[in-house]
Amino acid sequence: MSNYYQPEIETAPYEQIRKWQDERLVKQIKHVWDNVPYYRKKMEEKGVTPDDIKGVDDLKKLPFLVKDDLREAYPYGLLAKPLNECVRIQSTSGTTGKRVVAFYTQNDIDLWEDCCARAIVAAGGTKDDVCHVSYGYGLFTGGPGLNGGSHKVGCLTLPMSSGNTDRQLQFMTDLGSTIICCTPSYAAYLTESIYEKGLRDQIKLKAGIFGAEAWSENMRSDIEQKLGIKAFDIYGLTEISGPGVSFECEAQTGMHINEDHFIAEIIDPDTGEVLPEGEKGELVFTCITKEAFPMIRYRTRDICVLSREKCPCGRTHVKMSKPMGRSDDMLIIRGVNVFPSQIETVLLQQGYPANYQIVVDRVNNTDTFEVLVEMTPEIFSDSLGKITEMEKSLVSELKAMLGISAKVKLVAPKTIARSEGKAVRVIDKRKI
Ligand code: DLL
């Protein structure tokens, strides 16, 4: 039996959702036109005014925003409210260049926390739960978002933040955590530590809410089995608020996008053309309720598929697939597109843990491609012959999945650095 945090919204008929979107979009575009000169200029350049936007069908007339716009407009150029009406900033983990800084009014925080509360309730959360939040707190949106959602649901909230695994496990056992929120790679690490310390019998977890990075179905079933929990995916990005832009329900077949707040489109990343439902492409979001930092047609670079198929959970909001990679971090190795998640799938299928690192380099104008894979203590063997055989077998499995050859190196247990946040999966040394 499904539970909802805001049933009248989460199960609203599609016509109602569409009505909210039409009305809110028109209002939002006026708000942005009036208050964000940077975006107004972009609209003018495209020859669009707020009068041209009557509803969702007109969305495609509007210009896109990309990460470079955020860097260019840093820090206040995309702010749509006076600074003294803003109460919070959050920021992305940032790769190159300036960090992305997102602003929130109190109302923005309130709606964002509602989204996170929907995710927690969908994972079975109630006010009787002890919700253990091990996403980082601070500028990263993971900790603050799930913390706020957990309060709204009324769970006893443990604001653990990331790191200090011994302390995490002590609180988890002493206080009887029932829901754990963290990155999937940290969940896998915690699981490993629970077994190592013989704590499995003292763990009361029933659900995990894992997101912020890609993870495979095999990783899900591995964690679910070992901890005896149900593992739910949660998606989001700082620019669009943080975690809770979409979340999984008990059906575990994609994440419901909170469409009363965000309009989703799928585009061809090369041409920008909007693709029909069911086609794979880049996800684009328009925020229709955010006041301080309303992204319009923001290109996420995440590649996925949308589906309006009826969901057994009763929610009516569109579902997105797990991101299958990013249009900008997809690796092109010797001309072949490679997603790290494909490599992870092969490893888990072959009984290896998801502790791996992809190293790409260019030697004599040819790409080198190496996958370092950690063995578990069970499969660890110091017989050179056996290791060579296992490496060979992985090489052929990877070749079958990817269409190109990788060099595989099996390394001893615990030699690849563990992450408390997002795992570093790819080391690309090429200078192209
Ligand atoms: O990672 C927000 C978040 C926190 C989501 C906690 C879920 C849980 P950023 O640091 O801005 O925000 O990174 C956003 O991370 O564009 C995706 O590429 C990736 N990402 C987020 N969630 C998932 C997921 C947070 N469930 C970027 N699966 C996004 C795969 C994800 N990738």
Side-chain angles (χ1 to χ4, degrees), residues 92-93 135 140-142 210-215 233-239 242-243 255 300 302 323 326 422:
T92 61
S93 40
Y135 287 112
F140 181 56
T141 53
F210 306 139
E213 63 181 356
W215 53 307
D233 203 350
I234 183 166
Y235 168 90
L237 55 162
T238 313
E239 298 89 317
M255 296 176 271
T300 64
D302 291 317
R326 288 174 60 86
K422 298 191 189 207

PDB file of all heavy atoms in Angstrom, residues 92-93 135 140-142 210-215 233-239 242-243 255 300 302 323 326 422, ligand 1:
ATOM      1  N   THR A  92      27.757  23.698  -5.872  1.00  0.00           N
ATOM      2  CA  THR A  92      28.103  22.365  -6.373  1.00  0.00           C
ATOM      3  C   THR A  92      29.527  22.007  -6.006  1.00  0.00           C
ATOM      4  O   THR A  92      30.345  22.875  -5.689  1.00  0.00           O
ATOM      5  CB  THR A  92      28.042  22.297  -7.910  1.00  0.00           C
ATOM      6  OG1 THR A  92      28.983  23.225  -8.412  1.00  0.00           O
ATOM      7  CG2 THR A  92      26.685  22.609  -8.444  1.00  0.00           C
ATOM      8  N   SER A  93      29.783  20.713  -6.119  1.00  0.00           N
ATOM      9  CA  SER A  93      31.124  20.223  -5.817  1.00  0.00           C
ATOM     10  C   SER A  93      32.153  20.782  -6.803  1.00  0.00           C
ATOM     11  O   SER A  93      33.329  20.786  -6.503  1.00  0.00           O
ATOM     12  CB  SER A  93      31.130  18.697  -5.820  1.00  0.00           C
ATOM     13  OG  SER A  93      30.345  18.211  -6.871  1.00  0.00           O
ATOM     14  N   TYR A 135      24.798  12.053   3.840  1.00  0.00           N
ATOM     15  CA  TYR A 135      25.279  12.924   2.762  1.00  0.00           C
ATOM     16  C   TYR A 135      26.037  14.058   3.441  1.00  0.00           C
ATOM     17  O   TYR A 135      25.749  14.403   4.602  1.00  0.00           O
ATOM     18  CB  TYR A 135      24.108  13.530   1.973  1.00  0.00           C
ATOM     19  CG  TYR A 135      23.396  12.564   1.061  1.00  0.00           C
ATOM     20  CD1 TYR A 135      22.089  12.178   1.329  1.00  0.00           C
ATOM     21  CD2 TYR A 135      24.022  12.060  -0.079  1.00  0.00           C
ATOM     22  CE1 TYR A 135      21.414  11.299   0.482  1.00  0.00           C
ATOM     23  CE2 TYR A 135      23.358  11.188  -0.925  1.00  0.00           C
ATOM     24  CZ  TYR A 135      22.062  10.810  -0.642  1.00  0.00           C
ATOM     25  OH  TYR A 135      21.409   9.946  -1.479  1.00  0.00           O
ATOM     26  N   PHE A 140      27.263  21.383  -0.135  1.00  0.00           N
ATOM     27  CA  PHE A 140      26.622  20.302  -0.896  1.00  0.00           C
ATOM     28  C   PHE A 140      25.156  20.209  -0.461  1.00  0.00           C
ATOM     29  O   PHE A 140      24.828  20.326   0.713  1.00  0.00           O
ATOM     30  CB  PHE A 140      27.357  18.982  -0.614  1.00  0.00           C
ATOM     31  CG  PHE A 140      26.798  17.807  -1.355  1.00  0.00           C
ATOM     32  CD1 PHE A 140      26.677  17.823  -2.744  1.00  0.00           C
ATOM     33  CD2 PHE A 140      26.404  16.658  -0.677  1.00  0.00           C
ATOM     34  CE1 PHE A 140      26.164  16.724  -3.432  1.00  0.00           C
ATOM     35  CE2 PHE A 140      25.887  15.560  -1.358  1.00  0.00           C
ATOM     36  CZ  PHE A 140      25.771  15.595  -2.748  1.00  0.00           C
ATOM     37  N   THR A 141      24.285  19.975  -1.446  1.00  0.00           N
ATOM     38  CA  THR A 141      22.844  19.990  -1.156  1.00  0.00           C
ATOM     39  C   THR A 141      22.333  18.709  -0.484  1.00  0.00           C
ATOM     40  O   THR A 141      21.235  18.708   0.069  1.00  0.00           O
ATOM     41  CB  THR A 141      22.050  20.164  -2.466  1.00  0.00           C
ATOM     42  OG1 THR A 141      22.486  19.152  -3.387  1.00  0.00           O
ATOM     43  CG2 THR A 141      22.249  21.538  -3.075  1.00  0.00           C
ATOM     44  N   GLY A 142      23.119  17.632  -0.562  1.00  0.00           N
ATOM     45  CA  GLY A 142      22.628  16.327  -0.089  1.00  0.00           C
ATOM     46  C   GLY A 142      22.180  16.331   1.366  1.00  0.00           C
ATOM     47  O   GLY A 142      21.031  15.984   1.682  1.00  0.00           O
ATOM     48  N   PHE A 210      19.545   6.474  -1.920  1.00  0.00           N
ATOM     49  CA  PHE A 210      20.889   6.641  -2.461  1.00  0.00           C
ATOM     50  C   PHE A 210      20.860   7.410  -3.778  1.00  0.00           C
ATOM     51  O   PHE A 210      20.102   7.056  -4.678  1.00  0.00           O
ATOM     52  CB  PHE A 210      21.533   5.274  -2.708  1.00  0.00           C
ATOM     53  CG  PHE A 210      21.539   4.362  -1.493  1.00  0.00           C
ATOM     54  CD1 PHE A 210      21.258   3.005  -1.630  1.00  0.00           C
ATOM     55  CD2 PHE A 210      21.823   4.861  -0.231  1.00  0.00           C
ATOM     56  CE1 PHE A 210      21.265   2.161  -0.529  1.00  0.00           C
ATOM     57  CE2 PHE A 210      21.839   4.024   0.884  1.00  0.00           C
ATOM     58  CZ  PHE A 210      21.558   2.663   0.734  1.00  0.00           C
ATOM     59  N   GLY A 211      21.699   8.424  -3.877  1.00  0.00           N
ATOM     60  CA  GLY A 211      21.752   9.185  -5.126  1.00  0.00           C
ATOM     61  C   GLY A 211      22.986  10.047  -5.172  1.00  0.00           C
ATOM     62  O   GLY A 211      23.940   9.830  -4.425  1.00  0.00           O
ATOM     63  N   ALA A 212      22.971  11.020  -6.046  1.00  0.00           N
ATOM     64  CA  ALA A 212      24.058  11.978  -6.281  1.00  0.00           C
ATOM     65  C   ALA A 212      25.121  11.440  -7.222  1.00  0.00           C
ATOM     66  O   ALA A 212      26.012  12.176  -7.621  1.00  0.00           O
ATOM     67  CB  ALA A 212      24.709  12.456  -4.973  1.00  0.00           C
ATOM     68  N   GLU A 213      25.059  10.165  -7.556  1.00  0.00           N
ATOM     69  CA  GLU A 213      25.996   9.592  -8.532  1.00  0.00           C
ATOM     70  C   GLU A 213      25.345   8.359  -9.130  1.00  0.00           C
ATOM     71  O   GLU A 213      24.376   7.814  -8.573  1.00  0.00           O
ATOM     72  CB  GLU A 213      27.316   9.225  -7.871  1.00  0.00           C
ATOM     73  CG  GLU A 213      27.184   8.157  -6.815  1.00  0.00           C
ATOM     74  CD  GLU A 213      28.506   7.798  -6.142  1.00  0.00           C
ATOM     75  OE1 GLU A 213      29.546   8.326  -6.537  1.00  0.00           O
ATOM     76  OE2 GLU A 213      28.478   6.965  -5.213  1.00  0.00           O
ATOM     77  N   ALA A 214      25.889   7.927 -10.256  1.00  0.00           N
ATOM     78  CA  ALA A 214      25.316   6.780 -10.958  1.00  0.00           C
ATOM     79  C   ALA A 214      25.564   5.486 -10.185  1.00  0.00           C
ATOM     80  O   ALA A 214      26.600   5.329  -9.547  1.00  0.00           O
ATOM     81  CB  ALA A 214      25.934   6.686 -12.341  1.00  0.00           C
ATOM     82  N   TRP A 215      24.597   4.610 -10.196  1.00  0.00           N
ATOM     83  CA  TRP A 215      24.782   3.270  -9.620  1.00  0.00           C
ATOM     84  C   TRP A 215      23.917   2.307 -10.413  1.00  0.00           C
ATOM     85  O   TRP A 215      22.912   2.683 -10.983  1.00  0.00           O
ATOM     86  CB  TRP A 215      24.488   3.233  -8.121  1.00  0.00           C
ATOM     87  CG  TRP A 215      23.160   3.783  -7.649  1.00  0.00           C
ATOM     88  CD1 TRP A 215      22.617   5.013  -7.920  1.00  0.00           C
ATOM     89  CD2 TRP A 215      22.218   3.129  -6.786  1.00  0.00           C
ATOM     90  NE1 TRP A 215      21.420   5.170  -7.276  1.00  0.00           N
ATOM     91  CE2 TRP A 215      21.147   4.025  -6.566  1.00  0.00           C
ATOM     92  CE3 TRP A 215      22.193   1.880  -6.152  1.00  0.00           C
ATOM     93  CZ2 TRP A 215      20.052   3.719  -5.763  1.00  0.00           C
ATOM     94  CZ3 TRP A 215      21.097   1.577  -5.343  1.00  0.00           C
ATOM     95  CH2 TRP A 215      20.057   2.487  -5.160  1.00  0.00           C
ATOM     96  N   ASP A 233      16.446   5.059  -5.335  1.00  0.00           N
ATOM     97  CA  ASP A 233      17.273   6.052  -6.007  1.00  0.00           C
ATOM     98  C   ASP A 233      16.660   7.443  -5.787  1.00  0.00           C
ATOM     99  O   ASP A 233      15.433   7.575  -5.698  1.00  0.00           O
ATOM    100  CB  ASP A 233      17.315   5.730  -7.514  1.00  0.00           C
ATOM    101  CG  ASP A 233      18.525   6.311  -8.210  1.00  0.00           C
ATOM    102  OD1 ASP A 233      19.240   7.113  -7.586  1.00  0.00           O
ATOM    103  OD2 ASP A 233      18.756   5.956  -9.382  1.00  0.00           O
ATOM    104  N   ILE A 234      17.503   8.435  -5.701  1.00  0.00           N
ATOM    105  CA  ILE A 234      17.029   9.830  -5.619  1.00  0.00           C
ATOM    106  C   ILE A 234      17.952  10.671  -6.492  1.00  0.00           C
ATOM    107  O   ILE A 234      19.157  10.438  -6.527  1.00  0.00           O
ATOM    108  CB  ILE A 234      16.985  10.331  -4.160  1.00  0.00           C
ATOM    109  CG1 ILE A 234      16.412  11.761  -4.103  1.00  0.00           C
ATOM    110  CG2 ILE A 234      18.363  10.290  -3.492  1.00  0.00           C
ATOM    111  CD1 ILE A 234      16.009  12.200  -2.707  1.00  0.00           C
ATOM    112  N   TYR A 235      17.349  11.611  -7.204  1.00  0.00           N
ATOM    113  CA  TYR A 235      18.114  12.395  -8.171  1.00  0.00           C
ATOM    114  C   TYR A 235      17.905  13.885  -7.934  1.00  0.00           C
ATOM    115  O   TYR A 235      16.842  14.299  -7.447  1.00  0.00           O
ATOM    116  CB  TYR A 235      17.643  12.018  -9.587  1.00  0.00           C
ATOM    117  CG  TYR A 235      18.130  12.933 -10.680  1.00  0.00           C
ATOM    118  CD1 TYR A 235      19.330  12.685 -11.346  1.00  0.00           C
ATOM    119  CD2 TYR A 235      17.387  14.058 -11.057  1.00  0.00           C
ATOM    120  CE1 TYR A 235      19.780  13.532 -12.357  1.00  0.00           C
ATOM    121  CE2 TYR A 235      17.831  14.905 -12.069  1.00  0.00           C
ATOM    122  CZ  TYR A 235      19.024  14.633 -12.717  1.00  0.00           C
ATOM    123  OH  TYR A 235      19.461  15.465 -13.705  1.00  0.00           O
ATOM    124  N   GLY A 236      18.891  14.649  -8.308  1.00  0.00           N
ATOM    125  CA  GLY A 236      18.727  16.099  -8.261  1.00  0.00           C
ATOM    126  C   GLY A 236      20.042  16.772  -8.580  1.00  0.00           C
ATOM    127  O   GLY A 236      21.066  16.114  -8.722  1.00  0.00           O
ATOM    128  N   LEU A 237      19.991  18.066  -8.725  1.00  0.00           N
ATOM    129  CA  LEU A 237      21.215  18.835  -8.959  1.00  0.00           C
ATOM    130  C   LEU A 237      21.058  20.209  -8.323  1.00  0.00           C
ATOM    131  O   LEU A 237      19.945  20.728  -8.200  1.00  0.00           O
ATOM    132  CB  LEU A 237      21.548  18.937 -10.452  1.00  0.00           C
ATOM    133  CG  LEU A 237      20.531  19.481 -11.443  1.00  0.00           C
ATOM    134  CD1 LEU A 237      21.248  19.876 -12.722  1.00  0.00           C
ATOM    135  CD2 LEU A 237      19.484  18.418 -11.779  1.00  0.00           C
ATOM    136  N   THR A 238      22.180  20.745  -7.894  1.00  0.00           N
ATOM    137  CA  THR A 238      22.202  22.005  -7.163  1.00  0.00           C
ATOM    138  C   THR A 238      21.436  23.108  -7.894  1.00  0.00           C
ATOM    139  O   THR A 238      20.659  23.841  -7.283  1.00  0.00           O
ATOM    140  CB  THR A 238      23.676  22.457  -6.989  1.00  0.00           C
ATOM    141  OG1 THR A 238      24.421  21.340  -6.551  1.00  0.00           O
ATOM    142  CG2 THR A 238      23.794  23.592  -5.998  1.00  0.00           C
ATOM    143  N   GLU A 239      21.660  23.213  -9.199  1.00  0.00           N
ATOM    144  CA  GLU A 239      21.057  24.297  -9.973  1.00  0.00           C
ATOM    145  C   GLU A 239      19.533  24.261  -9.894  1.00  0.00           C
ATOM    146  O   GLU A 239      18.866  25.289  -9.975  1.00  0.00           O
ATOM    147  CB  GLU A 239      21.473  24.192 -11.452  1.00  0.00           C
ATOM    148  CG  GLU A 239      22.964  24.310 -11.705  1.00  0.00           C
ATOM    149  CD  GLU A 239      23.697  22.973 -11.634  1.00  0.00           C
ATOM    150  OE1 GLU A 239      23.413  22.162 -10.720  1.00  0.00           O
ATOM    151  OE2 GLU A 239      24.563  22.738 -12.493  1.00  0.00           O
ATOM    152  N   GLY A 242      18.483  20.678  -5.632  1.00  0.00           N
ATOM    153  CA  GLY A 242      19.267  19.684  -4.909  1.00  0.00           C
ATOM    154  C   GLY A 242      18.566  18.346  -5.003  1.00  0.00           C
ATOM    155  O   GLY A 242      17.776  18.126  -5.933  1.00  0.00           O
ATOM    156  N   PRO A 243      18.791  17.443  -4.043  1.00  0.00           N
ATOM    157  CA  PRO A 243      18.132  16.131  -4.115  1.00  0.00           C
ATOM    158  C   PRO A 243      16.619  16.303  -4.074  1.00  0.00           C
ATOM    159  O   PRO A 243      16.122  17.281  -3.509  1.00  0.00           O
ATOM    160  CB  PRO A 243      18.637  15.423  -2.853  1.00  0.00           C
ATOM    161  CG  PRO A 243      19.076  16.513  -1.933  1.00  0.00           C
ATOM    162  CD  PRO A 243      19.594  17.596  -2.822  1.00  0.00           C
ATOM    163  N   MET A 255      12.412   7.247 -11.608  1.00  0.00           N
ATOM    164  CA  MET A 255      12.169   8.233 -10.550  1.00  0.00           C
ATOM    165  C   MET A 255      11.108   9.237 -10.986  1.00  0.00           C
ATOM    166  O   MET A 255      11.210   9.826 -12.073  1.00  0.00           O
ATOM    167  CB  MET A 255      13.487   8.947 -10.245  1.00  0.00           C
ATOM    168  CG  MET A 255      14.520   7.993  -9.678  1.00  0.00           C
ATOM    169  SD  MET A 255      16.127   8.774  -9.419  1.00  0.00           S
ATOM    170  CE  MET A 255      16.912   8.503 -10.994  1.00  0.00           C
ATOM    171  N   THR A 300      20.955  19.729 -18.188  1.00  0.00           N
ATOM    172  CA  THR A 300      21.621  19.005 -17.098  1.00  0.00           C
ATOM    173  C   THR A 300      22.840  18.229 -17.554  1.00  0.00           C
ATOM    174  O   THR A 300      23.672  17.865 -16.732  1.00  0.00           O
ATOM    175  CB  THR A 300      20.663  17.978 -16.460  1.00  0.00           C
ATOM    176  OG1 THR A 300      20.340  16.998 -17.458  1.00  0.00           O
ATOM    177  CG2 THR A 300      19.406  18.627 -15.935  1.00  0.00           C
ATOM    178  N   ASP A 302      22.666  15.271 -18.253  1.00  0.00           N
ATOM    179  CA  ASP A 302      22.357  13.884 -17.894  1.00  0.00           C
ATOM    180  C   ASP A 302      21.534  13.251 -19.010  1.00  0.00           C
ATOM    181  O   ASP A 302      20.566  13.842 -19.489  1.00  0.00           O
ATOM    182  CB  ASP A 302      21.569  13.829 -16.574  1.00  0.00           C
ATOM    183  CG  ASP A 302      22.431  14.236 -15.399  1.00  0.00           C
ATOM    184  OD1 ASP A 302      23.597  13.791 -15.349  1.00  0.00           O
ATOM    185  OD2 ASP A 302      21.956  14.996 -14.541  1.00  0.00           O
ATOM    186  N   PRO A 323      19.955   8.081 -14.727  1.00  0.00           N
ATOM    187  CA  PRO A 323      20.816   8.665 -15.754  1.00  0.00           C
ATOM    188  C   PRO A 323      21.786   7.598 -16.282  1.00  0.00           C
ATOM    189  O   PRO A 323      22.327   6.815 -15.516  1.00  0.00           O
ATOM    190  CB  PRO A 323      21.566   9.766 -15.013  1.00  0.00           C
ATOM    191  CG  PRO A 323      20.693  10.105 -13.847  1.00  0.00           C
ATOM    192  CD  PRO A 323      20.025   8.827 -13.451  1.00  0.00           C
ATOM    193  N   ARG A 326      26.481  11.071 -18.718  1.00  0.00           N
ATOM    194  CA  ARG A 326      26.317  12.493 -18.988  1.00  0.00           C
ATOM    195  C   ARG A 326      26.800  12.794 -20.390  1.00  0.00           C
ATOM    196  O   ARG A 326      27.744  12.186 -20.858  1.00  0.00           O
ATOM    197  CB  ARG A 326      27.102  13.314 -17.962  1.00  0.00           C
ATOM    198  CG  ARG A 326      26.475  13.301 -16.592  1.00  0.00           C
ATOM    199  CD  ARG A 326      27.355  14.008 -15.587  1.00  0.00           C
ATOM    200  NE  ARG A 326      27.598  15.397 -15.927  1.00  0.00           N
ATOM    201  CZ  ARG A 326      26.794  16.411 -15.602  1.00  0.00           C
ATOM    202  NH1 ARG A 326      25.684  16.181 -14.929  1.00  0.00           N
ATOM    203  NH2 ARG A 326      27.096  17.643 -15.929  1.00  0.00           N
ATOM    204  N   LYS A 422      31.304  11.388  -3.446  1.00  0.00           N
ATOM    205  CA  LYS A 422      31.200  10.763  -4.756  1.00  0.00           C
ATOM    206  C   LYS A 422      32.509  10.036  -5.093  1.00  0.00           C
ATOM    207  O   LYS A 422      33.583  10.588  -4.906  1.00  0.00           O
ATOM    208  CB  LYS A 422      30.935  11.834  -5.811  1.00  0.00           C
ATOM    209  CG  LYS A 422      29.636  12.546  -5.564  1.00  0.00           C
ATOM    210  CD  LYS A 422      29.266  13.397  -6.736  1.00  0.00           C
ATOM    211  CE  LYS A 422      28.083  14.259  -6.376  1.00  0.00           C
ATOM    212  NZ  LYS A 422      27.287  14.633  -7.517  1.00  0.00           N
TER     213      LYS A 422
HETATM  214  O1  DLL B   1      24.298  15.479  -6.429  1.00  0.00           O
HETATM  215  C1  DLL B   1      22.264  16.464  -5.551  1.00  0.00           C
HETATM  216  C2  DLL B   1      21.920  15.204  -4.857  1.00  0.00           C
HETATM  217  C3  DLL B   1      22.283  15.016  -3.542  1.00  0.00           C
HETATM  218  C4  DLL B   1      21.160  14.230  -5.504  1.00  0.00           C
HETATM  219  C5  DLL B   1      21.941  13.856  -2.876  1.00  0.00           C
HETATM  220  C6  DLL B   1      20.778  13.076  -4.852  1.00  0.00           C
HETATM  221  C7  DLL B   1      21.173  12.888  -3.538  1.00  0.00           C
HETATM  222  P1  DLL B   1      25.172  18.060  -7.692  1.00  0.00           P
HETATM  223  O2  DLL B   1      26.362  17.910  -6.831  1.00  0.00           O
HETATM  224  O3  DLL B   1      24.872  19.391  -8.253  1.00  0.00           O
HETATM  225  O4  DLL B   1      23.857  17.659  -6.936  1.00  0.00           O
HETATM  226  O5  DLL B   1      25.320  16.996  -8.866  1.00  0.00           O
HETATM  227  C8  DLL B   1      24.301  16.822  -9.800  1.00  0.00           C
HETATM  228  O6  DLL B   1      24.897  14.481 -10.047  1.00  0.00           O
HETATM  229  O7  DLL B   1      23.481  16.255 -12.800  1.00  0.00           O
HETATM  230  C9  DLL B   1      23.858  13.946 -12.087  1.00  0.00           C
HETATM  231  O8  DLL B   1      24.838  13.890 -13.096  1.00  0.00           O
HETATM  232  C10 DLL B   1      24.424  13.373 -10.794  1.00  0.00           C
HETATM  233  N1  DLL B   1      23.353  12.680 -10.049  1.00  0.00           N
HETATM  234  C11 DLL B   1      22.572  13.154  -9.069  1.00  0.00           C
HETATM  235  N2  DLL B   1      21.721  12.198  -8.636  1.00  0.00           N
HETATM  236  C12 DLL B   1      21.978  11.088  -9.379  1.00  0.00           C
HETATM  237  C13 DLL B   1      21.442   9.768  -9.428  1.00  0.00           C
HETATM  238  C14 DLL B   1      23.582  16.448  -6.329  1.00  0.00           C
HETATM  239  N3  DLL B   1      20.494   9.366  -8.609  1.00  0.00           N
HETATM  240  C15 DLL B   1      24.663  15.704 -10.760  1.00  0.00           C
HETATM  241  N4  DLL B   1      21.949   8.911 -10.348  1.00  0.00           N
HETATM  242  C16 DLL B   1      23.517  15.379 -11.713  1.00  0.00           C
HETATM  243  C17 DLL B   1      22.931   9.290 -11.196  1.00  0.00           C
HETATM  244  C18 DLL B   1      23.012  11.401 -10.300  1.00  0.00           C
HETATM  245  N5  DLL B   1      23.480  10.515 -11.190  1.00  0.00           N
END
